[in-house]
Amino acid sequence: MRIDAHQHFWIYDPVRDSWITDEMSTIQRNFLPNDISQTLKDNRIDGVVAVQASESHQESYFLAELAQVYKLIKGVVGWVDLHSAHIDEYLEEFKKHEIIKGFRHVIEAEPHGDFLSSDEFLRGIEALTKYDYTYDLLIRPRHYASTLACVKANPNQKFMLDHIAKPPIKSQEFEEWALFIESLASFPNVFCKVSGLATEADWTNWRLDHFTQYIDHVIKSFGKDRVCFGSDWPVCLLAASYEQSIEIVQDKLKDFTNEELDKFWGLNAVKFYNLK
């Protein structure tokens, strides 16, 4: 099974979706499964993981409802208030929706670097472990230290690093990010999505070789059993078509065996998210 492990769907709301600035006008509209289904077929993608794009429990239910209509959605990464004293009640309720495999918070927007190491957040992660949910990490460099502390404190929690931690591809800076990747990859409970790369480059002037050192380092650090593909559609459209998003990654997999390619393009995501 070939899986795109990172897609977004939304009915555009200029207030709720204010993160989509005028610079990003290309995606200031609705995006639903019908808009991508033929493209997925053309690229032999069998299914997708739908990931939250706004922060409310309603978002989780919206994606779960979409999955009932569109069978191409094989799993949902929703949002839950991890800081809430009622986290167990929320997760009990979400357990009624088998399609919801895990949760994410847009940590990259949080100004405080210690966001992941607060007592409230750590209690929320412990609850996810208890209910067997995954957690997607969307971070920036200011969160590196607390990310490592959080992962170290939760060895039984399954973590997925989104967008290979958004390295500074546009400037081609490498060392700080690379050291963090090596440290994070040392924890066997962390997987990594090779996703969302074009939007970290120069949107209008990137080349395939701009991504090489970053993708190579992720594969070397995590190994071929803990990496998977994600397009970050439709956000990727700011800088690359769906086909270009595949090409950016495919170009770096020349030494993969057929079995390793099957894992990268789907089976690792199926294993991590327990997709059916």
Side-chain angles (χ1 to χ4, degrees), residues 10-114:
W10 61 68
I11 296 173
Y12 178 66
D13 181 315
V15 176
R16 183 198 62 201
D17 303 321
S18 59
W19 63 272
I20 306 177
T21 63
D22 289 343
E23 181 189 21
M24 304 161 74
S25 60
T26 301
I27 60 171
Q28 285 180 331
R29 62 179 181 85
N30 299 348
F31 287 93
L32 293 168
N34 279 345
D35 298 313
I36 190 67
S37 58
Q38 187 58 52
T39 300
L40 295 175
K41 290 177 184 176
D42 292 344
N43 290 280
R44 298 184 298 111
I45 301 295
D46 301 304
V48 307
V49 176
V51 180
Q52 62 85 218
S54 64
E55 301 189 327
S56 68
H57 290 174
Q58 181 182 357
E59 171 80 344
S60 302
Y61 291 120
F62 166 70
L63 295 176
E65 289 167 4
L66 273 186
Q68 291 183 332
V69 178
Y70 299 98
K71 298 309 177 186
L72 63 83
I73 300 176
K74 305 300 184 184
V76 165
V77 174
W79 186 88
V80 66
D81 184 0
L82 289 179
H83 290 87
S84 175
H86 303 289
I87 183 66
D88 283 87
E89 296 172 32
Y90 297 149
L91 295 180
E92 287 278 4
E93 187 64 27
F94 282 129
K95 272 296 178 187
K96 297 175 183 177
H97 302 269
E98 187 180 354
I99 197 70
I100 299 178
K101 306 300 182 179
F103 297 93
R104 186 181 82 154
H105 180 79
V106 183
I107 294 169
E108 68 166 336
E110 297 292 342
H112 302 296
D114 61 354

Side-chain angles (χ1 to χ4, degrees), residues 113-132:
D114 61 354
F115 183 85
L116 292 94
S117 55
S118 70
D119 290 342
E120 294 85 359
F121 186 85
L122 290 173
R123 281 198 298 270
I125 293 294
E126 289 175 4
L128 294 187
T129 308
K130 174 182 173 182
Y131 287 89
D132 195 27

Side-chain angles (χ1 to χ4, degrees), residues 144-239:
Y144 284 174
S146 64
T147 297
L148 293 173
C150 176
V151 170
K152 183 177 181 179
N154 292 277
N156 297 316
Q157 174 61 39
K158 294 168 67 177
F159 291 98
M160 177 69 81
L161 179 64
D162 287 353
H163 311 333
I164 68 172
K166 294 201 162 190
I169 296 171
K170 185 175 182 178
S171 66
Q172 289 289 290
E173 294 172 68
F174 184 75
E175 293 302 325
E176 181 188 17
W177 169 85
L179 288 172
F180 168 71
I181 289 295
E182 289 174 20
S183 297
L184 187 63
S186 70
F187 296 99
N189 54 320
V190 184
F191 282 53
C192 181
K193 284 181 195 174
V194 184
S195 59
L197 302 186
T199 47
E200 298 307 309
D202 183 329
W203 290 3
T204 59
N205 194 35
W206 56 262
R207 302 191 312 265
L208 289 177
D209 64 313
H210 289 167
F211 307 96
T212 302
Q213 63 177 340
Y214 303 101
I215 297 175
D216 286 353
H217 188 65
V218 160
I219 293 170
K220 178 182 176 182
S221 298
F222 282 93
K224 296 174 180 176
D225 291 332
R226 290 191 289 145
V227 289
C228 60
F229 169 73
S231 66
D232 197 27
W233 182 91
V235 181
C236 68
L237 300 178
L238 296 169

